[in-house]
Amino acid sequence: MASLGVDLGGTKIMAVLVDDGEVVAKAKKSTPKVGGPSDVLDAIASVVAKADPDGRADSIGVGVPGPVRPGSGVLPLAANLPGWDHAVDVAAGLSERCASRRVVVDNDVNVGTLAEVRFGAGVGVDNVLGVFMGTGIGAGLVLDGTLRQGPRGVSGELGHTYVAFRDFDQAQI
């Protein structure tokens, strides 16, 4: 059975289609810098269609840059996405755009940390703190082999920190 995973980031959207443990297709697109959630969901749907044009995967997993209300598919806020200053039901919005396929949504670093425990550097380890740096800094927490999200989806989170680069004079350091 094929699976489709999507990574929604502040700068890019990437999808991979996996069948029998092998990546069989990939697609990537820049995240819209203007507009709002509808524009971002449209962009995700276009990447999904490019990676899986035949609809082989019956469900889609999406990692998003922000805390997700556990089990809801709702992203309350995403500071690094255009116009995303209110709660958006990513699961429902993307399902509508992708032939009513089932969509599961969680924080990108949570799913990345869980993937490391199941398939990567954390195989055989029960307790892992994953820290990822991208447009911001995020963390995922796996304890006793279980992803810990907490009631608000932010357990283990170091905080969504925006990193602004600027030139420093040596005298300022």
Side-chain angles (χ1 to χ4, degrees):
M1 176 178 287
S3 302
L4 186 73
V6 177
D7 178 25
L8 169 60
T11 59
K12 72 166 174 27
I13 300 165
M14 184 163 183
V16 295
L17 180 65
V18 177
D19 196 356
D20 212 14
E22 297 293 322
V23 174
V24 295
K26 294 181 187 180
K28 185 166 91 169
K29 179 178 198 161
S30 294
T31 303
K33 293 182 181 0
V34 296
S38 184
D39 299 294
V40 174
L41 291 172
D42 288 345
I44 296 169
S46 74
V47 172
V48 165
K50 188 173 180 184
D52 187 16
D54 301 324
R56 291 170 55 188
D58 61 355
S59 62
I60 302 166
V62 184
V64 297
V68 174
R69 293 181 189 144
S72 72
V74 174
L75 178 59
L77 173 73
N80 57 348
L81 296 175
W84 216 293
D85 56 358
H86 60 283
V88 176
D89 191 335
V90 175
L94 191 55
S95 181
E96 288 172 10
R97 289 165 172 83
C98 296
S100 298
R101 287 192 262 185
R102 179 174 174 257
V103 177
V104 178
V105 180
D106 199 349
N107 172 269
D108 54 0
V109 176
N110 281 349
V111 297
T113 302
L114 191 56
E116 287 296 337
V117 168
R118 292 187 178 166
F119 307 108
V123 170
V125 179
D126 292 334
N127 303 303
V128 174
L129 172 65
V131 179
F132 290 63
M133 292 180 276
T135 308
I137 300 170
L141 184 62
V142 173
L143 297 174
D144 299 322
T146 302
L147 177 66
R148 304 301 172 143
Q149 296 170 290
R152 293 192 179 115
V154 294
S155 290
E157 202 50 76
L158 297 173
H160 290 273
T161 306
Y162 174 76
V163 179
F165 295 97
R166 65 179 203 178
D167 293 328
F168 285 99
D169 184 328
Q170 284 293 350
Q172 293 176 314
I173 297 178

